[in-house]
């Protein structure tokens, strides 16, 4: 009996020690989250109800920042530009990433090399990539327009210098940069699908499209769900390529919400107004993500 109690105490001591070790490993992350995420988010929420230019004391103004926002043409244009960017970039990125993953999964030789080539844009510096694409999009001597002229198009788009083509130019660049990252996720999901399902479908006479539609897509739905959420969130947060390639222009053609928040905060020094915009952006992302989680049971298949 005494020996049994002794073993029980020893087991509890080991569990307690393991818990303390785990908390010690987690502590730096919690501290970083509290300092660099929780406090700034809380401060932004408070500032959204104030008028503050960093030089004078903050003044409580209630909901005036929000009233001003919905009358501000720059905010409205940025909102619709963000919606346009997101709902164009997300489907294109997913289609390209899935197509690449399916192609690489079908026994292409040198899969490791192709995977590295397509993944490289994700790990490369966004600044360097944006500068390179600025050169590619140059209307007068850029390689893209030079190629289009050799194909017989005498008046090619002026890309980032054109109000009509600036947003498509940013979208093309963003899809190219992100597709490789999501391709790796899809490729991992495809590898987890059992070959027995495809063999059974082959015996039943299913063609390649029927296998893809009835087996690949349903079995890939958990990966698809994760990719859609991440892609949507990243699209709503787009800033770097906009800032470097177009600075929201020409005019306000590529001004998106995050760029507008940056402009109001660090160019116009309207920190309260910028915080109100950030709060609206947070609510948009939260609502879209909540809706996706709410309805995931209707299309996501977690069974093997």
């Amino acid at each position: 009996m005494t020996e049994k109690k002794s073993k029980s105490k020893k087991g509890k001591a080991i569990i307690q020690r393991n818990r303390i070790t785990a908390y010690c490993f987690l502590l730096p992350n919690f501290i970083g989250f509290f300092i660099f995420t929780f406090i700034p988010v809380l401060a932004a929420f408070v500032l959204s109800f104030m008028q503050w230019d960093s030089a004078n004391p903050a003044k409580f103004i209630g909901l005036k920042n929000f009233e001003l926002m919905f009358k501000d043409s720059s905010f409205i244009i940025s909102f619709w530009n963000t919606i346009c960017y997101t709902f164009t970039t997300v489907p294109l990125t997913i289609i390209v990433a899935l197509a690449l993953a399916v192609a690489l999964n079908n026994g292409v030789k040198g899969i490791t090399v192709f995977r590295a080539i397509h993944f490289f844009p994700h790990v490369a510096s966004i600044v360097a990539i944006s500068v390179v694409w600025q050169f590619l999009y140059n209307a007068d001597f850029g390689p893209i327009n030079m190629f289009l002229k050799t194909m017989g198009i005498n008046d090619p788009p002026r890309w980032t210098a054109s109000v009509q083509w600036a947003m498509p130019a940013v979208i093309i660049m963003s899809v190219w940069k992100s597709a490789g990252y999501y391709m790796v996720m899809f490729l991992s999901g495809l590898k987890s699908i059992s070959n027995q399902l495809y063999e059974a479908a082959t015996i039943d006479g299913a063609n390649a499209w029927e296998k893809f539609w009835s087996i690949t897509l349903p079995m890939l739905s958990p990966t698809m769900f994760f990719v859609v959420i991440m892609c949507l969130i990243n699209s709503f947060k787009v800033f770097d390529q906009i800032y470097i390639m177009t600075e929201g222009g020409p005019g306000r053609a590529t001004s998106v919400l995050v760029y507008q928040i940056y402009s109001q905060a660090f160019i116009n020094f309207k920190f309260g107004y910028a915080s109100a915009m950030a709060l609206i952006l947070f609510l948009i992302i939260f609502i879209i993500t909540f809706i996706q989680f709410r309805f995931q049971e209707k299309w996501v298949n977690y069974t093997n």
Side-chain angles (χ1 to χ4, degrees):
M1 190 70 179
T2 307
E3 186 180 352
K4 194 174 180 181
K5 284 184 178 178
S6 175
K7 285 183 178 179
S8 177
K9 285 183 179 178
K10 190 176 180 181
K12 288 180 179 177
I14 292 172
I15 292 172
Q16 187 69 16
R17 188 173 65 239
N18 289 340
R19 282 179 180 169
I20 292 172
T21 304
Y23 289 139
C24 288
F25 277 108
L26 290 172
L27 188 60
N29 188 43
F30 281 125
I31 293 173
F33 173 81
F34 185 78
I35 295 174
F36 297 109
T37 302
F38 181 75
I39 291 178
V41 168
L42 190 63
F45 177 77
V46 174
L47 277 177
S48 66
F49 300 99
M50 294 187 174
Q51 185 179 36
W52 186 48
D53 60 2
S54 77
N56 298 298
K59 178 184 174 185
F60 181 76
I61 57 173
L63 297 175
K64 285 187 179 177
N65 281 330
F66 297 94
E67 292 175 11
L68 175 63
M69 190 188 312
F70 293 107
K71 296 175 184 174
D72 183 357
S73 62
S74 294
F75 171 78
I76 294 170
I77 290 172
S78 299
F79 172 79
W80 287 114
N81 282 345
T82 305
I83 295 294
C84 172
Y85 174 87
T86 298
F87 287 96
T88 308
T89 304
V90 171
L92 285 177
T93 302
I94 290 173
I95 290 170
V96 173
L98 184 58
L100 288 172
V102 171
L104 292 180
N105 193 49
N106 288 335
V108 175
K109 289 184 179 178
I111 182 173
T112 308
V113 176
F114 282 110
R115 195 165 52 199
I117 290 172
H118 290 297
F119 192 73
F120 173 75
H122 175 70
V123 296
S125 164
I126 183 65
V127 176
I129 287 176
S130 299
V131 171
V132 169
W133 276 89
Q134 266 187 316
F135 169 71
L136 294 176
Y137 280 137
N138 188 285
D140 298 320
F141 52 84
I144 294 176
N145 276 6
M146 296 285 282
F147 173 76
L148 292 176
K149 286 178 181 175
T150 60
M151 298 296 291
I153 301 175
N154 295 324
D155 188 22
R158 297 194 66 78
W159 301 111
T160 54
S162 163
V163 173
Q164 289 79 23
W165 284 96
M167 183 59 83
V170 175
I171 289 172
I172 292 170
M173 178 267 184
S174 300
V175 171
W176 173 83
K177 184 182 185 307
S178 305
Y181 174 67
Y182 297 113
M183 175 204 71
V184 173
M185 293 185 185
F186 280 131
L187 201 55
S188 175
L190 289 171
K191 295 291 183 189
S192 67
I193 300 175
S194 172
N195 282 330
Q196 292 178 346
L197 297 174
Y198 292 108
E199 291 169 0
T202 303
I203 293 172
D204 290 340
N207 57 34
W209 171 251
E210 289 169 336
K211 290 178 189 175
F212 176 77
W213 187 257
S214 303
I215 297 174
T216 304
L217 278 183
M219 299 306 292
L220 207 57
S221 57
T223 307
M224 182 71 78
F225 175 63
F226 176 76
V227 168
V228 169
I229 287 181
M230 295 305 298
C231 211
L232 274 171
I233 292 173
N234 289 331
S235 295
F236 273 107
K237 295 193 307 178
V238 62
F239 172 75
D240 298 338
Q241 51 265 57
I242 297 283
Y243 178 74
I244 296 165
M245 294 176 68
T246 65
E247 293 185 344
R252 293 179 288 186
T254 57
S255 177
V256 291
L257 282 178
V258 177
Y259 184 79
Q260 192 62 25
I261 292 168
Y262 164 80
S263 300
Q264 294 295 341
F266 299 104
I267 296 177
N268 299 330
F269 297 103
K270 295 180 178 178
F271 290 98
Y273 189 43
S275 298
M277 287 186 181
L279 187 61
I280 293 296
L281 178 62
F282 169 77
L283 288 175
I284 293 171
I285 295 174
F286 176 79
I287 290 170
I288 291 177
T289 306
F290 176 79
I291 291 172
Q292 290 184 81
F293 271 96
R294 183 72 178 79
F295 292 99
Q296 62 161 318
E297 294 176 357
K298 296 189 177 183
W299 66 279
V300 180
N301 175 30
Y302 288 106
T303 58
N304 293 320

